[in-house]
Amino acid sequence: MKPCLIIGSGFHRWVLGKDSSGLTNWDKLIESVADNLKVSTPSASMNPVLRWEKILETASLDGYEYQSNWIAPHTKNISDIESDAKKIVALVIKEFEYRYPDKNQKSQSIFDKSIGSVISLNFDNLWVKTNYQLSNKPPIKITEIEDRESRRIHNHIISDKNQNLKIWFPNGTVQDPDTIRMGLYDYGAQPFALKKIFGYIKQYENEIEKLIGKDNWEEYEKYLIPQLEGNQNVDPRLNNWVAHFLYRPLYFAGVGLSESEIGLWWLLAQRARNFAKLPKEKRPKTIILVKNDSQRNLFWSNRPCGVSQVPAVRLS
């Protein structure tokens, strides 16, 4: 099965060769949003998620500017303020649209025919420009999951450069600003949604095991490949980024994968449990590209949840 490439802000740093903008640095993005809203910049001593929450709190207490209008203090709910702030995030990122080197070899590397799917933890799709339609209609209705989280699970685009390649946006996208995942409310909603989707995927897995009459990865993979690598007649339970994450070989590029990414780590743990019954040489690989001088090299040497480190120099 072809691998899934998972990209983060480090992908843009690799393409651009610098780390000085809201496109490549989350703290810079937070500060740009604060500037646009004309609220005081939250302290850099906090992590970006808490800085985002502080922006919303400050905007509510002191007022803020949106679309050239001044919003007086205490006149909007925090959820409405957050909706405005997310639209600012989309505008900040879209400012890079006409400056991004979308035709160079690095930015186009994700369309390589050897890649089966891409999961972008970023909010943009600058490497394909914006004329590609976002497909975000959930194939199955899951009443327990709010609509916004469901769209994050199913959001994807297909480029004409590789019609079989789906590109997923689990943290939301500038094409659907309401789905952009920045604050604690949105991060808190993810684990429950992932568990529900995981249940549907396991339901499909159990049905196929009964059909083939045994628990056999090689036989199951024969059913999976046309489901994950095709665009027609895909079982709705597998038409989401979670299925690609669970079953394909994974390559993390430009992703820190910190311990706070609880949703991804939960899925990595389920993936490791799922493949524990297979001999090591038959398990789909889970690779993260890291810098040689990374302070987390010791952490990665323990292969948590089966994740193996490879020097990032090999990305090219």
Side-chain angles (χ1 to χ4, degrees):
M1 192 183 303
K2 291 182 178 180
C4 174
L5 178 65
I6 304 170
I7 60 173
S9 59
F11 177 80
H12 287 317
R13 287 195 292 273
W14 177 62
V15 171
L16 298 172
K18 56 185 177 181
D19 181 19
S20 59
S21 71
L23 191 63
T24 57
N25 184 300
W26 205 3
D27 281 306
K28 295 287 186 183
L29 178 59
I30 293 287
E31 291 161 13
S32 294
V33 172
D35 289 345
N36 276 271
L37 293 173
K38 289 186 169 53
V39 302
S40 58
T41 302
S43 170
S45 64
M46 297 184 289
N47 68 39
V49 176
L50 292 180
R51 294 185 84 190
W52 176 263
E53 294 295 332
K54 191 66 175 178
I55 285 177
L56 304 182
E57 178 187 349
T58 303
S60 178
L61 291 172
D62 299 338
Y64 66 100
E65 183 174 291
Y66 180 68
Q67 293 183 339
S68 300
N69 296 313
W70 183 254
I71 311 299
H74 311 296
T75 57
K76 276 195 173 186
N77 295 326
I78 288 288
S79 59
D80 294 327
I81 296 173
E82 185 167 42
S83 178
D84 291 344
K86 287 180 177 181
K87 292 182 178 72
I88 297 297
V89 170
L91 288 174
V92 169
I93 291 175
K94 284 182 177 180
E95 288 176 358
F96 294 92
E97 186 171 334
Y98 298 104
R99 291 181 280 144
Y100 195 80
D102 64 303
K103 293 182 174 62
N104 79 12
Q105 188 172 357
K106 286 183 176 180
S107 67
Q108 296 302 288
S109 61
I110 65 169
F111 298 112
D112 191 279
K113 299 294 184 181
S114 65
I115 297 173
S117 63
V118 174
I119 294 174
S120 175
L121 303 180
N122 302 322
F123 308 131
D124 65 272
N125 57 300
L126 293 174
W127 12 263
V128 294
K129 295 304 183 189
T130 56
N131 59 332
Y132 293 91
Q133 293 299 309
L134 181 70
S135 175
N136 59 12
K137 293 182 179 179
I140 49 177
K141 181 67 174 176
I142 306 172
T143 55
E144 299 95 330
I145 301 176
E146 65 174 20
D147 176 68
R148 177 167 48 193
E149 193 62 43
S150 182
R151 291 185 342 250
R152 292 185 186 114
I153 288 169
H154 300 98
N155 275 347
H156 69 275
I157 59 176
I158 297 175
S159 168
D160 58 2
K161 296 174 183 178
N162 186 346
Q163 289 287 336
N164 293 319
L165 182 75
K166 289 182 179 179
I167 304 167
W168 306 88
F169 298 91
N171 286 333
T173 167
V174 295
Q175 291 178 264
D176 186 4
D178 192 46
T179 63
I180 291 175
R181 193 190 308 277
M182 292 291 289
L184 287 171
Y185 180 88
D186 288 331
Y187 274 98
Q190 186 184 40
F192 175 79
L194 293 180
K195 190 173 182 180
K196 293 299 296 185
I197 294 297
F198 178 76
Y200 280 102
I201 294 170
K202 291 297 290 184
Q203 182 186 77
Y204 174 86
E205 185 177 306
N206 292 333
E207 288 177 7
I208 298 302
E209 284 183 3
K210 289 180 181 179
L211 186 65
I212 62 181
K214 54 185 174 181
D215 181 4
N216 184 292
W217 167 248
E218 286 82 3
E219 290 297 318
Y220 182 53
E221 191 176 23
K222 292 177 183 178
Y223 284 85
L224 274 180
I225 290 175
Q227 290 289 326
L228 298 185
E229 301 194 349
N231 291 320
Q232 302 294 326
N233 302 317
V234 178
D235 189 289
R237 293 169 293 185
L238 300 182
N239 198 11
N240 54 72
W241 71 267
V242 180
H244 290 256
F245 189 98
L246 286 172
Y247 292 125
R248 290 185 183 274
L250 299 181
Y251 287 84
F252 291 86
V255 179
L257 203 58
S258 68
E259 291 90 330
S260 63
E261 292 273 12
I262 188 65
L264 294 181
W265 279 109
W266 187 85
L267 283 177
L268 284 168
Q270 305 314 311
R271 172 185 168 91
R273 292 183 182 199
N274 229 27
F275 292 132
K277 57 195 172 187
L278 295 177
K280 285 186 178 180
E281 64 274 10
K282 290 188 177 182
R283 297 175 191 173
K285 293 180 179 180
T286 308
I287 302 293
I288 185 166
L289 302 175
V290 298
K291 295 180 180 178
N292 283 326
D293 60 350
S294 172
Q295 295 179 352
R296 302 187 75 210
N297 282 347
L298 181 59
F299 171 79
W300 292 119
S301 68
N302 293 293
R303 300 186 72 251
C305 297
V307 181
S308 299
Q309 63 176 335
V310 169
V313 68
R314 299 187 187 179
L315 179 60
S316 58

Coordinates of all heavy atoms in Angstrom, one line a residue, residues 29 33 52 84-97 123-124 173-178 180:
L29 N 1.8 33.6 13.8 CA 0.4 33.7 13.3 C -0.5 34.3 14.4 O -1.3 35.1 14.1 CB 0.0 32.2 13.0 CG -1.5 32.1 12.5 CD1 -1.8 32.9 11.3 CD2 -1.8 30.6 12.3
V33 N -2.7 37.8 14.1 CA -4.1 37.9 14.4 C -4.4 39.0 15.4 O -5.3 39.8 15.2 CB -4.7 36.5 14.9 CG1 -6.1 36.6 15.4 CG2 -4.6 35.4 13.8
W52 N -4.0 32.0 22.1 CA -5.2 32.2 21.3 C -6.4 32.5 22.3 O -7.2 33.4 22.0 CB -5.5 30.9 20.5 CG -6.8 31.0 19.7 CD1 -8.0 30.4 20.1 CD2 -7.1 31.6 18.5 NE1 -9.0 30.6 19.2 CE2 -8.4 31.4 18.2 CE3 -6.3 32.3 17.6 CZ2 -9.0 31.8 17.0 CZ3 -6.9 32.8 16.4 CH2 -8.2 32.5 16.1
D84 N -14.8 35.3 14.2 CA -14.2 36.5 13.6 C -12.7 36.3 13.5 O -12.0 36.5 12.5 CB -14.5 37.8 14.3 CG -15.9 38.2 14.2 OD1 -16.6 37.7 13.3 OD2 -16.4 39.1 15.0
A85 N -12.1 35.8 14.6 CA -10.6 35.6 14.7 C -10.2 34.5 13.7 O -9.1 34.7 13.1 CB -10.2 35.2 16.1
K86 N -11.0 33.5 13.5 CA -10.6 32.4 12.5 C -10.6 33.0 11.1 O -9.8 32.6 10.3 CB -11.6 31.3 12.7 CG -11.4 30.4 13.9 CD -12.4 29.3 14.0 CE -12.2 28.4 15.2 NZ -13.1 27.3 15.2
K87 N -11.5 33.9 10.8 CA -11.6 34.5 9.5 C -10.3 35.3 9.3 O -9.8 35.4 8.2 CB -12.8 35.3 9.3 CG -14.1 34.5 9.3 CD -15.3 35.4 9.0 CE -16.6 34.5 8.9 NZ -17.0 34.0 10.2
I88 N -9.8 35.9 10.4 CA -8.6 36.7 10.3 C -7.4 35.8 10.0 O -6.5 36.1 9.2 CB -8.3 37.5 11.6 CG1 -9.4 38.6 11.8 CG2 -6.9 38.2 11.5 CD1 -9.5 39.6 10.7
V89 N -7.4 34.6 10.7 CA -6.3 33.6 10.4 C -6.3 33.2 8.9 O -5.3 33.2 8.3 CB -6.6 32.3 11.2 CG1 -5.7 31.2 10.8 CG2 -6.4 32.5 12.7
A90 N -7.5 33.0 8.3 CA -7.6 32.7 6.9 C -7.0 33.8 6.0 O -6.3 33.6 5.1 CB -9.0 32.4 6.5
L91 N -7.3 35.0 6.4 CA -6.9 36.2 5.6 C -5.3 36.3 5.7 O -4.7 36.6 4.7 CB -7.5 37.5 6.1 CG -9.0 37.7 5.8 CD1 -9.6 38.9 6.5 CD2 -9.2 37.7 4.3
V92 N -4.8 36.1 6.9 CA -3.3 36.2 7.1 C -2.6 35.2 6.3 O -1.6 35.5 5.6 CB -3.0 36.0 8.6 CG1 -1.5 35.9 8.8 CG2 -3.5 37.2 9.4
I93 N -3.2 34.0 6.2 CA -2.5 32.9 5.5 C -2.7 33.1 4.0 O -1.7 32.9 3.2 CB -3.1 31.5 5.9 CG1 -2.6 31.2 7.3 CG2 -2.6 30.4 5.0 CD1 -3.2 30.0 7.9
K94 N -3.8 33.6 3.6 CA -4.1 33.8 2.1 C -3.2 34.9 1.6 O -3.0 35.0 0.3 CB -5.6 34.1 1.9 CG -6.5 32.9 2.0 CD -7.9 33.3 1.7 CE -8.8 32.0 1.7 NZ -10.2 32.4 1.5
E95 N -2.6 35.8 2.4 CA -1.7 36.8 2.0 C -0.5 36.2 1.3 O 0.2 36.9 0.5 CB -1.3 37.7 3.1 CG -2.4 38.6 3.6 CD -2.0 39.4 4.8 OE1 -0.8 39.3 5.3 OE2 -2.8 40.2 5.3
F96 N -0.2 35.0 1.6 CA 1.0 34.3 1.0 C 0.7 33.7 -0.3 O 1.6 33.2 -1.0 CB 1.5 33.2 2.0 CG 2.0 33.8 3.3 CD1 1.2 33.9 4.4 CD2 3.4 34.2 3.4 CE1 1.7 34.4 5.6 CE2 3.9 34.7 4.6 CZ 3.0 34.8 5.7
E97 N -0.6 33.7 -0.7 CA -1.0 32.9 -1.9 C -0.2 33.3 -3.2 O 0.2 32.4 -3.9 CB -2.5 33.2 -2.1 CG -3.0 32.3 -3.3 CD -4.6 32.4 -3.3 OE1 -5.2 32.7 -2.3 OE2 -5.1 32.2 -4.4
F123 N -3.3 24.8 7.7 CA -4.7 25.2 7.3 C -4.8 25.6 5.8 O -5.9 25.9 5.3 CB -5.1 26.5 8.1 CG -4.9 26.3 9.6 CD1 -4.3 27.3 10.3 CD2 -5.5 25.3 10.3 CE1 -4.1 27.2 11.7 CE2 -5.3 25.1 11.6 CZ -4.7 26.1 12.3
D124 N -3.7 25.6 5.1 CA -3.6 26.1 3.7 C -3.5 25.0 2.7 O -3.1 23.9 3.0 CB -2.5 27.1 3.6 CG -1.2 26.4 3.8 OD1 -0.7 26.3 4.9 OD2 -0.6 25.9 2.8
T173 N -9.3 24.2 7.4 CA -8.8 24.8 6.2 C -9.3 26.2 6.0 O -10.4 26.6 6.4 CB -9.1 24.0 5.0 OG1 -8.8 24.7 3.8 CG2 -10.6 23.6 4.9
V174 N -8.4 27.1 5.4 CA -8.8 28.5 5.1 C -10.0 28.5 4.2 O -10.7 29.6 4.1 CB -7.6 29.3 4.5 CG1 -6.5 29.4 5.5 CG2 -7.1 28.6 3.2
Q175 N -10.3 27.5 3.4 CA -11.4 27.5 2.5 C -12.8 27.3 3.3 O -13.8 27.5 2.8 CB -11.3 26.3 1.5 CG -10.2 26.6 0.5 CD -10.1 25.5 -0.5 OE1 -9.3 24.6 -0.3 NE2 -10.9 25.5 -1.5
D176 N -12.6 26.9 4.6 CA -13.8 26.7 5.5 C -13.3 27.2 6.9 O -13.1 26.4 7.7 CB -14.2 25.3 5.5 CG -15.5 25.0 6.3 OD1 -16.1 26.0 6.7 OD2 -15.9 23.8 6.5
P177 N -13.2 28.6 7.0 CA -12.5 29.1 8.2 C -13.1 28.6 9.6 O -12.4 28.6 10.5 CB -12.7 30.6 8.1 CG -12.8 30.8 6.6 CD -13.6 29.6 6.1
D178 N -14.4 28.3 9.6 CA -15.0 27.9 10.8 C -14.4 26.6 11.4 O -14.4 26.3 12.6 CB -16.5 27.7 10.6 CG -17.2 27.5 12.0 OD1 -17.0 28.3 12.9 OD2 -18.1 26.6 12.1
I180 N -11.1 25.9 11.3 CA -9.7 26.1 11.7 C -9.6 25.8 13.2 O -10.4 26.4 14.0 CB -9.3 27.5 11.4 CG1 -9.1 27.7 9.9 CG2 -8.0 27.8 12.1 CD1 -8.8 29.1 9.4

